[in-house]
Coordinates of all heavy atoms in Angstrom, one line a residue:
P12 N 65.5 58.1 122.3 CA 64.6 58.9 123.3 C 64.9 58.7 124.8 O 64.7 59.5 125.6 CB 63.2 58.8 122.9 CG 63.2 58.4 121.5 CD 64.4 57.6 121.3
W13 N 65.3 57.4 125.1 CA 65.6 57.0 126.5 C 66.8 57.8 127.1 O 66.9 58.0 128.3 CB 65.7 55.5 126.7 CG 64.6 54.8 126.4 CD1 64.3 54.1 125.2 CD2 63.3 54.6 127.2 NE1 63.2 53.5 125.2 CE2 62.5 53.8 126.4 CE3 63.0 55.0 128.4 CZ2 61.2 53.3 126.9 CZ3 61.8 54.7 129.0 CH2 61.0 53.9 128.1
L15 N 67.3 61.0 126.4 CA 67.0 62.5 126.5 C 66.6 63.0 127.9 O 67.1 64.1 128.2 CB 65.9 62.8 125.5 CG 65.6 64.3 125.5 CD1 66.7 65.1 125.1 CD2 64.3 64.5 124.6
A16 N 66.0 62.0 128.7 CA 65.6 62.5 130.1 C 66.8 62.8 130.9 O 66.8 63.9 131.4 CB 64.7 61.4 130.5
P17 N 67.7 62.0 131.1 CA 69.0 62.4 131.8 C 69.7 63.5 131.2 O 70.2 64.3 132.0 CB 69.8 61.1 132.0 CG 69.3 60.2 130.8 CD 67.9 60.6 130.6
A19 N 68.3 65.9 129.5 CA 67.4 67.2 129.8 C 67.6 67.7 131.2 O 67.7 68.9 131.5 CB 66.0 66.8 129.4
I35 N 65.6 71.8 125.1 CA 64.9 70.5 125.4 C 63.6 70.3 124.6 O 63.2 69.3 124.2 CB 64.6 70.6 127.0 CG1 65.8 70.6 127.7 CG2 63.8 69.3 127.3 CD1 65.7 70.8 129.2
T39 N 63.0 67.4 122.1 CA 61.8 66.4 122.3 C 60.9 66.4 121.1 O 60.4 65.3 120.7 CB 60.9 67.0 123.5 OG1 61.7 67.0 124.7 CG2 59.9 66.0 123.8
A40 N 60.5 67.5 120.5 CA 59.8 67.5 119.2 C 60.5 66.8 118.1 O 59.8 66.0 117.4 CB 59.4 69.0 118.8
L42 N 62.8 64.3 118.2 CA 62.8 62.9 118.5 C 61.4 62.2 118.4 O 61.2 61.2 117.9 CB 63.3 62.7 120.0 CG 64.9 62.9 120.2 CD1 65.1 62.6 121.6 CD2 65.6 62.0 119.2
A43 N 60.3 63.0 118.7 CA 59.0 62.5 118.5 C 58.6 62.4 117.1 O 58.1 61.4 116.7 CB 57.9 63.5 119.2
V46 N 60.5 59.2 116.0 CA 59.8 58.1 116.4 C 58.6 57.6 115.5 O 58.4 56.5 115.1 CB 59.3 58.3 117.9 CG1 58.3 57.2 118.3 CG2 60.4 58.3 118.8
R103 N 43.5 62.3 124.2 CA 44.2 63.1 125.3 C 44.3 64.6 124.8 O 44.1 65.5 125.7 CB 45.7 62.6 125.5 CG 45.8 61.2 126.2 CD 47.1 60.8 126.3 NE 47.2 59.5 126.9 CZ 48.3 58.8 127.2 NH1 49.4 59.3 126.7 NH2 48.3 57.7 127.8
L184 N 54.9 73.9 126.6 CA 54.3 72.7 127.4 C 53.4 71.8 126.5 O 53.4 70.6 126.7 CB 53.5 73.3 128.5 CG 54.2 74.0 129.6 CD1 53.3 74.6 130.6 CD2 55.3 73.2 130.2
S185 N 52.8 72.5 125.6 CA 51.8 71.7 124.7 C 52.7 70.7 123.7 O 52.4 69.6 123.6 CB 51.1 72.5 123.8 OG 50.1 73.4 124.5
A186 N 53.8 71.3 123.2 CA 54.6 70.5 122.4 C 55.3 69.3 123.2 O 55.3 68.2 122.7 CB 55.8 71.3 121.8
A187 N 55.8 69.6 124.5 CA 56.3 68.5 125.3 C 55.3 67.4 125.5 O 55.7 66.2 125.5 CB 56.8 69.2 126.6
H188 N 54.1 67.8 125.9 CA 53.1 66.7 126.2 C 52.7 66.1 125.0 O 52.4 64.7 125.1 CB 52.0 67.3 126.9 CG 52.1 67.8 128.3 ND1 52.1 66.9 129.4 CD2 52.1 69.0 128.9 CE1 52.4 67.5 130.5 NE2 52.3 68.9 130.2
L189 N 52.5 66.6 123.9 CA 52.3 66.0 122.5 C 53.3 64.9 122.2 O 53.1 63.8 121.9 CB 52.0 66.9 121.5 CG 51.7 66.3 120.1 CD1 50.4 65.5 120.2 CD2 51.6 67.5 119.0
A190 N 54.7 65.4 122.3 CA 55.7 64.4 122.2 C 55.7 63.3 123.2 O 55.9 62.1 122.9 CB 57.1 65.1 122.4
G191 N 55.3 63.5 124.3 CA 55.3 62.6 125.4 C 54.2 61.4 125.1 O 54.4 60.4 125.6
W192 N 53.1 61.8 124.4 CA 52.2 60.8 124.1 C 52.7 60.0 123.0 O 52.1 58.9 122.7 CB 50.9 61.6 123.6 CG 50.2 62.4 124.7 CD1 50.4 62.2 126.1 CD2 49.4 63.5 124.5 NE1 49.7 63.2 126.8 CE2 49.1 64.1 125.8 CE3 49.0 64.2 123.4 CZ2 48.3 65.2 126.1 CZ3 48.1 65.3 123.6 CH2 47.8 65.9 124.9
C193 N 53.7 60.3 122.2 CA 54.3 59.5 121.1 C 55.3 58.5 121.7 O 55.3 57.5 120.9 CB 54.9 60.4 120.1 SG 53.8 61.6 119.3
H194 N 55.9 58.6 122.7 CA 56.8 57.8 123.2 C 57.0 57.8 124.8 O 57.0 58.9 125.3 CB 58.2 58.1 122.6 CG 59.2 57.0 122.8 ND1 59.8 56.7 124.0 CD2 59.8 56.0 121.9 CE1 60.7 55.8 123.8 NE2 60.7 55.3 122.5
P195 N 56.8 56.8 125.5 CA 57.0 56.8 126.9 C 58.3 57.5 127.5 O 58.2 58.2 128.5 CB 56.9 55.4 127.3 CG 57.3 54.6 126.2 CD 56.9 55.3 125.0
A196 N 59.4 57.3 126.9 CA 60.7 58.1 127.4 C 60.4 59.6 127.2 O 61.0 60.3 128.1 CB 61.9 57.6 126.5
L197 N 59.8 60.1 126.2 CA 59.5 61.4 126.0 C 58.7 62.0 127.0 O 58.6 63.2 127.3 CB 59.2 61.8 124.6 CG 60.1 61.4 123.5 CD1 59.6 61.7 122.1 CD2 61.5 62.2 123.8
A198 N 57.7 61.2 127.5 CA 56.8 61.6 128.7 C 57.5 62.2 129.8 O 57.1 63.1 130.5 CB 55.8 60.5 128.9
A199 N 58.7 61.5 130.1 CA 59.4 61.8 131.3 C 60.1 63.3 131.0 O 60.4 63.8 132.0 CB 60.4 60.8 131.7
V200 N 60.3 63.6 129.9 CA 61.0 64.9 129.6 C 60.1 66.0 129.8 O 60.5 67.1 129.9 CB 61.6 64.9 128.1 CG1 62.3 66.1 127.7 CG2 62.5 63.7 127.9
A201 N 58.8 65.8 129.7 CA 57.8 66.9 129.9 C 58.0 67.6 131.1 O 57.8 68.9 131.4 CB 56.3 66.4 129.7
A202 N 58.4 66.8 132.3 CA 58.6 67.4 133.6 C 59.7 68.4 133.5 O 59.9 69.4 134.2 CB 58.8 66.5 134.6
H203 N 60.9 68.1 132.8 CA 62.0 69.0 132.6 C 61.6 70.3 131.8 O 62.1 71.3 132.2 CB 63.1 68.2 131.9 CG 63.5 67.1 132.8 ND1 64.0 67.1 134.0 CD2 63.5 65.7 132.4 CE1 64.4 65.8 134.5 NE2 64.1 65.0 133.5
V204 N 60.8 70.1 130.7 CA 60.3 71.2 130.1 C 59.6 72.2 131.0 O 59.6 73.4 131.0 CB 59.5 70.9 128.9 CG1 58.8 72.1 128.2 CG2 60.3 70.0 127.9
S205 N 58.6 71.6 131.8 CA 57.9 72.4 132.7 C 58.7 73.2 133.8 O 58.6 74.3 134.1 CB 56.9 71.5 133.6 OG 56.2 72.3 134.4
T248 N 46.6 71.6 132.1 CA 48.0 71.3 132.1 C 48.9 72.2 131.4 O 50.1 72.5 131.8 CB 48.1 69.8 131.4 OG1 47.3 68.9 132.1 CG2 49.5 69.3 131.4

Side-chain angles (χ1 to χ4, degrees):
W13 296 103
L15 183 60
I35 297 172
T39 304
L42 289 177
V46 166
R103 292 179 178 178
L184 297 179
S185 299
H188 284 292
L189 180 59
W192 299 335
C193 297
H194 194 287
L197 297 178
V200 182
H203 300 296
V204 173
S205 177
T248 304

